[in-house]
Amino acid sequence: MATPTVVLVPVWGAGHLMSLLESGKRLLARSVRALSLTVLVMRAPTEQLAAEVAAHIRREEDSGLDVRFTHLPAVAPPTDWVGIEEFISRIAQMHAPHVRAAISGLAPPVAGVVLDFFCSSLLDVCRDLAVPGYVYFTSNAAMVAFMLRLPALHEEVPVEFEEMEGAIDVPGLPPVPPSCVPTPVTDKKNPNYTWFTYHGRRFAEADAIIINTAAELEPSALAAIADGRCTRGVRALTVYPIGPVISFPPPPEQPHECVRWLDGQAPASVVLLCFGSGGFFAAAQAREIADGLERSGHCFLWVLRGPPAPGARHPTDANLDEMLPEGFLERTKDRGLVWPTWAPQTEILAHAAVGGFVTHGGWNSALESLWHGVPMVPWPLYAEQHTNAFTFVAAMGVAVAMKVDRKRDNFVEAAELERAVKELMGGGEEGRKAREKASEMKAVCRNAVEEGGSSYAALQRLSEELYKGAVAVTNK
């Protein structure tokens, strides 16, 4: 039989595309039988994103692995969308005929189709072609549990979540405060809410769900999903926790300026503040951060980005003269560095001088932090990050909580940041426990992906399942 191929259907966001590609490559490496990868590429909606996707693909094509990329025909993106979750979900749905045609045209047997979770509508294509369909979830098991529970919650909670009394019951998690629900479900009249409920319902139809986590990182949430407690009345889902899936770029010939600055700092003495590819602050919030850091007395490396240009989505490089209090840089020059553009977060977290991480709480960033044993202070900004922040503190114990005013665009007062940084970097019992737990999770993450580890074994089981499921696709 010709080598079966696993079809990957990612979306274009870096945190989604790179995670799914890296998972696919690990699948090839761990499989005891020969498999190949076929990646169906949707055209990104902006020229900047399209250029980034093209650069990722060029790197993968030069890797020498058995990975083939098929560019799908472009679709006219919707113009009447409200939120990004709706936009991505609708574009994925519009690609259904092109995905169907691409899979139908493949010569090798198809072992399975692995869909980014925003593409759950394409499970219809898998069913139509009689090929196994899997969902790949780039975030954590806690969020999978929440989304699987969401269709039932929609019936049980007739009001907005913030108006309900008591906490939200999500099996596998501590009682979830209504203030910690993901941003897309804070308004039931918003199409983003409708789409998240839709995806949660469709996940249960997949042959399995593949999650970028490790069994030991989230045992309670994974058990609740696998036992069917999140989907009462529907069959329990097969789950493959295969993480942490982290892409480590090769080290540059010359260390980045931020890394060179860290070389001069004492071990575990620096708190890193970095907020992902989409995180930015206006000047009023930047000044609060500056005041809090100055009063904390701790060393810091702060990656500060400014608001997007009019009509754009991506943060701009920060104008430090406009955004920071007068004299701040001079007063803190001996213990702080403010970096106003992109910085190599993974490389920075790996540095021995970094002892804590104030983060937006995106799951990829959290995994990088835990991989290096760095405890966190979550400062959620959008997407599922408020739920992540709750999980890091209440379920995983790897973070120090910080009060974020969600109704004021996630504003944090200087005094609250000062308190959280002091706690994280050595203040009291909460910080000590978070540091100990993060150190423990460093070993957990690394052991999971080594031969004999839980995620290594999950990938082998998944590869066997895929190989057994391989079918020759006929164009029905």
Side-chain angles (χ1 to χ4, degrees), residues 209-233:
I209 190 158
I210 305 161
I211 310 178
N212 184 11
T213 193
E216 300 85 353
L217 275 180
E218 301 183 89
S220 298
L222 287 165
I225 297 165
D227 294 347
R229 283 179 278 141
C230 300
T231 48
R232 299 184 190 105

Side-chain angles (χ1 to χ4, degrees), residues 30-44:
R30 304 290 184 264
S31 179
V32 293
R33 307 178 196 241
L35 290 169
S36 68
L37 293 180
T38 301
V39 185
L40 305 187
V41 183
M42 302 179 196
R43 176 160 180 81

Side-chain angles (χ1 to χ4, degrees), residues 50 181 274 295 300 414:
V181 298
C274 190
R295 296 192 328 223
F300 62 86

Side-chain angles (χ1 to χ4, degrees), residues 28-314:
L28 296 193
R30 304 290 184 264
S31 179
V32 293
R33 307 178 196 241
L35 290 169
S36 68
L37 293 180
T38 301
V39 185
L40 305 187
V41 183
M42 302 179 196
R43 176 160 180 81
T46 69
E47 291 305 319
Q48 181 180 345
L49 284 168
E52 291 173 7
V53 169
H56 292 320
I57 290 173
R58 279 195 300 274
R59 282 196 294 273
E60 300 301 340
E61 287 178 330
D62 293 339
S63 69
L65 292 171
D66 196 356
V67 183
R68 288 179 292 278
F69 292 88
T70 298
H71 292 267
L72 298 172
V75 301
T79 56
D80 58 343
W81 54 282
V82 175
I84 190 64
E85 293 85 4
E86 178 201 6
F87 180 76
I88 298 170
S89 301
R90 286 174 62 185
I91 284 189
Q93 191 174 48
M94 293 163 73
H95 274 86
H98 303 314
V99 170
R100 187 187 192 286
I103 296 172
S104 299
L106 291 172
V110 175
V113 179
V114 182
L115 304 163
D116 181 279
F117 76 88
F118 278 118
C119 302
S120 73
S121 61
L122 300 179
L123 286 167
D124 292 334
V125 174
C126 300
R127 188 164 55 231
D128 187 33
L129 295 176
V131 298
Y134 299 78
V135 167
Y136 180 74
F137 204 81
T138 49
S139 192
N140 51 20
M143 191 61 195
V144 174
F146 183 92
M147 289 186 71
L148 289 170
R149 178 85 173 90
L150 188 56
L153 283 173
H154 178 67
E155 304 298 327
E156 295 168 20
V157 182
V159 296
E160 298 289 355
F161 288 120
E162 69 173 359
E163 297 168 6
M164 67 179 285
E165 293 183 9
I168 300 168
D169 168 42
V170 179
L173 296 183
V176 180
S179 60
C180 293
V181 298
T183 301
V185 302
T186 52
D187 177 5
K188 292 189 174 186
K189 298 178 291 299
N190 191 302
N192 289 333
Y193 175 89
T194 305
W195 273 105
F196 256 54
T197 309
Y198 171 87
H199 290 311
R201 188 176 294 111
R202 294 304 304 268
F203 290 172
E205 300 172 26
D207 284 80
I209 190 158
I210 305 161
I211 310 178
N212 184 11
T213 193
E216 300 85 353
L217 275 180
E218 301 183 89
S220 298
L222 287 165
I225 297 165
D227 294 347
R229 283 179 278 141
C230 300
T231 48
R232 299 184 190 105
V234 182
R235 69 178 178 85
L237 263 171
T238 301
V239 187
Y240 292 100
I242 65 164
V245 177
I246 305 171
S247 181
F248 294 104
E253 291 181 16
Q254 294 292 326
H256 191 272
E257 191 173 328
C258 290
V259 174
R260 293 202 301 272
W261 181 82
L262 288 168
D263 288 341
Q265 310 305 316
S269 66
V270 177
V271 60
L272 168 66
L273 297 90
C274 190
F275 301 92
S277 58
F280 62 87
F281 294 110
Q285 179 66 87
R287 292 187 189 109
E288 291 285 323
I289 297 172
D291 288 346
L293 288 175
E294 187 170 358
R295 296 192 328 223
S296 78
H298 285 283
C299 296
F300 62 86
L301 170 51
W302 177 13
V303 182
L304 173 61
R305 310 300 302 280
R313 289 189 55 84
H314 290 276

Side-chain angles (χ1 to χ4, degrees), residues 152-467:
L153 283 173
H154 178 67
E155 304 298 327
E156 295 168 20
V157 182
V159 296
E160 298 289 355
F161 288 120
E162 69 173 359
E163 297 168 6
M164 67 179 285
E165 293 183 9
I168 300 168
D169 168 42
V170 179
L173 296 183
V176 180
S179 60
C180 293
V181 298
T183 301
V185 302
T186 52
D187 177 5
K188 292 189 174 186
K189 298 178 291 299
N190 191 302
N192 289 333
Y193 175 89
T194 305
W195 273 105
F196 256 54
T197 309
Y198 171 87
H199 290 311
R201 188 176 294 111
R202 294 304 304 268
F203 290 172
E205 300 172 26
D207 284 80
I209 190 158
I210 305 161
I211 310 178
N212 184 11
T213 193
E216 300 85 353
L217 275 180
E218 301 183 89
S220 298
L222 287 165
I225 297 165
D227 294 347
R229 283 179 278 141
C230 300
T231 48
R232 299 184 190 105
V234 182
R235 69 178 178 85
L237 263 171
T238 301
V239 187
Y240 292 100
I242 65 164
V245 177
I246 305 171
S247 181
F248 294 104
E253 291 181 16
Q254 294 292 326
H256 191 272
E257 191 173 328
C258 290
V259 174
R260 293 202 301 272
W261 181 82
L262 288 168
D263 288 341
Q265 310 305 316
S269 66
V270 177
V271 60
L272 168 66
L273 297 90
C274 190
F275 301 92
S277 58
F280 62 87
F281 294 110
Q285 179 66 87
R287 292 187 189 109
E288 291 285 323
I289 297 172
D291 288 346
L293 288 175
E294 187 170 358
R295 296 192 328 223
S296 78
H298 285 283
C299 296
F300 62 86
L301 170 51
W302 177 13
V303 182
L304 173 61
R305 310 300 302 280
R313 289 189 55 84
H314 290 276
T316 52
D317 292 349
N319 184 325
L320 300 186
D321 291 334
E322 291 180 2
M323 295 187 71
L324 297 176
E326 189 173 348
F328 170 77
L329 293 175
E330 179 64 27
R331 292 192 300 274
T332 59
K333 65 181 181 183
D334 293 333
R335 62 179 177 87
L337 175 63
V338 183
W339 191 254
T341 185
W342 177 88
Q345 179 179 285
T346 311
E347 208 178 326
I348 291 168
L349 284 167
H351 200 287
V354 175
F357 184 20
V358 180
T359 170
H360 64 306
W363 183 238
N364 289 321
S365 290
L367 287 178
E368 290 175 10
S369 199
L370 295 179
W371 182 267
H372 296 294
V374 179
M376 295 174 279
V377 166
W379 184 339
L381 300 175
Y382 52 87
E384 88 287 20
Q385 293 159 16
H386 289 86
T387 313
N388 288 352
F390 168 75
T391 303
F392 300 156
V393 174
M396 299 173 72
V398 295
V400 168
M402 183 169 70
K403 291 176 187 164
V404 176
D405 191 339
R406 201 165 184 179
K407 292 188 171 153
R408 290 174 63 200
D409 198 21
N410 303 305
F411 198 81
V412 172
E413 304 280 354
E416 176 61 7
L417 178 65
E418 175 192 359
R419 182 204 63 78
V421 167
K422 284 179 174 177
E423 184 69 35
L424 180 71
M425 300 300 287
E429 187 68 6
E430 188 185 3
R432 183 188 65 76
K433 287 181 177 177
R435 291 192 299 277
E436 284 182 0
K437 195 68 175 177
S439 179
E440 182 186 319
M441 291 300 108
K442 175 180 179 178
V444 161
C445 288
R446 291 166 187 246
N447 291 338
V449 298
E450 294 293 329
E451 188 167 359
S454 60
S455 295
Y456 191 106
L459 269 171
Q460 288 197 317
R461 291 195 305 274
L462 175 59
S463 69
E464 280 295 305
E465 188 68 23
L466 284 161
Y467 195 88

